Amino acid sequence: MTRLLDSNILIYAGRPEHAFLDAWLRPATAQVSAISIPEVLGYPGLSAEDEAMFEAWFAELTVCAVTEKILRRAAALRRQRRMKLGDSIVAATALDIGAELVTRNVDDFRHIAELRIINPFDAA
């Protein structure tokens, strides 16, 4: 099963106390939305070490382009219920590629009936 990693999973995975998330970063099954690049790398306090780590992950994982089809689906999701732009693009991407969404922020996506959501912190 293909899994789309929400930006927060990458951010948590960069912390030593969340090393269990390394198993979720398998390039064979894990993908990320292109919107995760500015969400993860845009943090003002990002260290050079963390930036290099995230860049390595983006190089290894499949980065799903934000297509017009995905943007239109994101717009439809935002019309259904108020969502952050990034969250709507992530959800639309997961739906478009038929992936499970891996996120810790389950409440941000729970209202999307057709979206399969996994919270890896539940199993940890």
Side-chain angles (χ1 to χ4, degrees), residues 2-120:
T2 300
R3 294 183 168 144
L4 186 77
L5 305 179
D6 193 4
S7 304
N8 67 72
I9 296 300
L10 296 173
I11 293 165
Y12 283 119
R15 298 180 184 163
E17 65 269 25
H18 300 302
F20 71 92
L21 291 172
D22 291 347
W24 293 86
L25 298 170
R26 294 190 186 117
T29 56
Q31 299 183 33
V32 293
S33 169
I35 197 69
S36 290
I37 294 172
E39 285 188 333
V40 171
L41 297 178
Y43 179 70
L46 189 67
S47 70
E49 181 181 316
D50 285 345
E51 181 179 7
M53 174 188 61
F54 292 135
E55 288 286 12
W57 290 347
F58 286 126
E60 290 177 22
L61 297 167
T62 299
V63 177
C64 300
V66 178
T67 64
E68 182 178 347
K69 180 180 174 188
I70 289 170
L71 291 172
R72 291 185 180 280
R73 192 159 200 181
L77 291 171
R78 292 186 79 197
R79 278 194 309 270
Q80 291 173 6
R81 183 170 174 175
R82 177 174 266 176
M83 292 181 76
K84 295 178 187 171
L85 178 61
D87 288 347
S88 69
I89 291 172
V90 167
T93 303
L95 292 168
D96 187 64
I97 66 172
E100 296 174 317
L101 176 61
V102 180
T103 185
R104 189 170 191 185
N105 299 338
V106 173
D107 289 340
D108 293 343
F109 302 97
R110 184 171 286 151
H111 67 279
I112 306 170
E114 66 270 31
L115 187 62
R116 295 180 315 268
I117 305 168
I118 298 173
N119 181 353

